[in-house]
Amino acid sequence: MPFRTFILKVANRCNIDCDYCYVFNSKDQAWRRLPARMSVDLARATARRIGEHVTAHNLRTVHVVLHGGEPLLAGPRHMADLLSAVREGVPAATAIHFELQTNGTLLTEPWLDLFDQYEVVVGVSLDGPPDANDRHRLTHASRSSTGSAVRGVELLRSRPHLFAGLLAVVDLANDPVEVHDYLAAFGPPTIDFGLPHGTHDEPPRRNDPAVPEYGQWMSRVYDAWLARPEYQHSVRMLEDIVALSSGVRGSVESLGLAPPSSIVIESDGTVEGVDTLRSVEEGASWLGRDVFSRSFDDVLRHPKLLHRQYGRAALAEKCQSCPLVEVCGGGYLPHRFSTSHGYRNPSVYCADLEYLIRHVQDSLQQHGWDPHAASVSPP
């Protein structure tokens, strides 16, 4: 399975201080040793490696995601040079879909002009209404970031072809319907909900550990999403569950058994498989490879990435025999970790995922879906 999504850490600093951030507020503090932004020379070297990879695997399309930190801290002129370097380095026969994930606070008209020029679609992180968003997403001076983020979203809405959607982290303290409906009011094409990172050593916060509260929270989002037929947006996690339940073998990292196809290039040129592993322990995401000395085909064979090719066999024994494994896929890799068994554990969200998947599948059956007729691909 070749890489099809290349995540470039174009800036390794941020202008706000989210307390759950896996880059700056986790066990791994690698960012302190990394350049504040990616150089143009590094972007050229990365593009050459992408060019080699797409040629070797005859790829007609790749995704290049501009990430951080806060990628807009790179500045418009420098970002234009990075985009130009990537586009020039990849064969013209391969289409590049540029994406960027931002907190939205620095968006301006000149930024949107640049994104129009290079056809960069933009996703914005926003956890909900001000009270919800500001519980975790404050500035370094402990002030609200919501007003600036909303201004950025509204500016982005003026050019809807550039608006990729909204990303929110689930917080049990927030009302799920209120959060969903608030985000939906911006008219995003997609709302993506992420579960807060946790491991078996440091599990996510719950009010009652015996209750699948995160599954219940997302189930209420599902019900709110279906309740109003005028909604045109997708909810990525929920649509993935619907698709996987119907036999589609997706390539998302957090669900399903298909090998993930993304790779991360840091601001110094080092390569990481799943950078959210920084939430697990120091060095968990480190591969000891860089774009100057190694090809992406060499990275594909790295021992730390072999779990991507094994599917069901890489999972805990309990997961391998679970009837929902084709949909759940064992859960997101960082959420499986424990110091005693590594990643061969069920997800810390196992009960939540089971509750949510069954809730979605029960709803589908009420609308005529036949689980026995679904064509489920083998692992």
Side-chain angles (χ1 to χ4, degrees):
M1 175 70 73
F3 299 122
R4 297 176 182 273
T5 298
F6 301 86
I7 302 170
L8 277 57
K9 294 300 188 80
V10 297
N12 241 311
R13 302 295 184 268
C14 193
N15 62 319
I16 66 173
D17 187 25
C18 304
D19 60 17
Y20 52 59
C21 180
Y22 66 86
V23 176
F24 303 111
N25 291 317
S26 69
K27 292 183 176 181
D28 191 317
Q29 291 290 292
W31 69 273
R32 298 181 184 276
R33 306 186 297 274
L34 293 167
R37 67 180 187 177
M38 178 177 286
S39 71
V40 177
D41 286 343
L42 173 53
R44 291 194 186 100
T46 301
R48 286 195 295 270
R49 292 300 188 191
I50 296 174
E52 293 173 356
H53 200 65
V54 301
T55 300
H57 297 277
N58 194 30
L59 302 181
R60 297 304 178 196
T61 303
V62 293
H63 293 260
V64 173
V65 182
L66 310 169
H67 215 278
E70 171 47 56
L72 299 190
L73 287 176
R77 182 174 298 178
H78 189 71
M79 184 73 79
D81 291 340
L82 296 177
L83 289 164
S84 176
V86 172
R87 177 163 286 177
E88 290 172 3
V90 176
T94 299
I96 305 175
H97 295 297
F98 285 112
E99 304 165 30
L100 182 142
Q101 187 66 34
T102 174
N103 59 41
T105 62
L106 302 176
L107 281 171
T108 60
E109 290 286 356
W111 272 117
L112 298 190
D113 292 341
L114 175 63
F115 298 150
D116 255 328
Q117 179 183 349
Y118 286 93
E119 299 179 306
V120 182
V121 297
V122 180
V124 178
S125 299
L126 185 68
D127 285 353
D131 287 348
N133 190 66
D134 290 338
R135 187 174 296 112
H136 302 286
R137 303 180 62 82
L138 295 173
T139 69
H140 289 280
S142 298
R143 295 175 180 167
S144 171
S145 68
T146 304
S148 297
V150 168
R151 282 193 294 274
V153 174
E154 292 292 359
L155 187 63
L156 193 55
R157 292 181 70 192
S158 69
R159 305 196 202 187
H161 57 288
L162 299 179
F163 192 10
L166 298 172
L167 170 63
V169 175
V170 174
D171 185 341
L172 297 177
N174 300 329
D175 180 270
V177 176
E178 181 183 10
V179 169
H180 171 267
D181 290 352
Y182 177 83
L183 298 177
F186 291 105
T190 300
I191 302 175
D192 196 4
F193 287 96
L195 297 172
H197 294 307
T199 68
H200 288 274
D201 297 336
E202 295 187 16
R205 295 176 182 175
R206 297 178 184 270
N207 299 312
D208 184 346
V211 176
E213 295 171 301
Y214 289 93
Q216 293 173 342
W217 200 97
M218 282 304 304
S219 294
R220 290 187 61 198
V221 169
Y222 177 81
D223 293 340
W225 179 45
L226 290 190
R228 294 176 55 182
E230 68 269 24
Y231 283 149
Q232 299 297 309
H233 63 274
S234 67
V235 179
R236 183 164 294 149
M237 183 191 298
L238 302 177
E239 287 202 344
D240 289 340
I241 290 173
V242 171
L244 290 162
S245 297
S246 302
V248 175
R249 196 177 186 201
S251 60
V252 294
E253 295 220 24
S254 55
L255 293 167
L257 289 170
S261 59
S262 62
I263 195 72
V264 177
I265 299 90
E266 268 295 352
S267 61
D268 66 345
T270 55
V271 179
E272 297 178 309
V274 182
D275 64 331
T276 49
L277 288 175
R278 292 185 183 187
S279 63
V280 169
E281 60 182 352
E282 181 81 27
S285 62
W286 188 70
L287 301 179
R289 301 286 189 270
D290 64 71
V291 296
F292 298 108
S293 60
R294 302 296 183 99
S295 70
F296 285 125
D297 272 17
D298 177 79
V299 175
L300 274 174
R301 297 186 289 271
H302 193 284
K304 280 190 175 182
L305 300 187
L306 291 181
H307 70 275
R308 295 181 177 217
Q309 311 300 328
Y310 293 159
R312 189 194 301 256
L315 304 180
E317 185 175 344
K318 174 185 175 182
C319 297
Q320 294 183 36
S321 60
C322 176
L324 300 179
V325 67
E326 297 282 350
V327 181
C328 168
Y332 194 31
L333 183 65
H335 302 161
R336 304 179 204 166
F337 180 79
S338 73
T339 52
S340 56
H341 296 98
Y343 299 97
R344 294 187 76 93
N345 303 286
S347 168
V348 290
Y349 292 107
C350 177
D352 301 283
L353 291 171
E354 178 179 2
Y355 184 98
L356 176 59
I357 292 168
R358 293 195 184 281
H359 182 84
V360 171
Q361 292 182 347
D362 287 347
S363 170
L364 293 175
Q365 286 183 277
Q366 291 172 21
H367 290 83
W369 174 74
D370 181 1
H372 302 293
S375 126
V376 178
S377 302

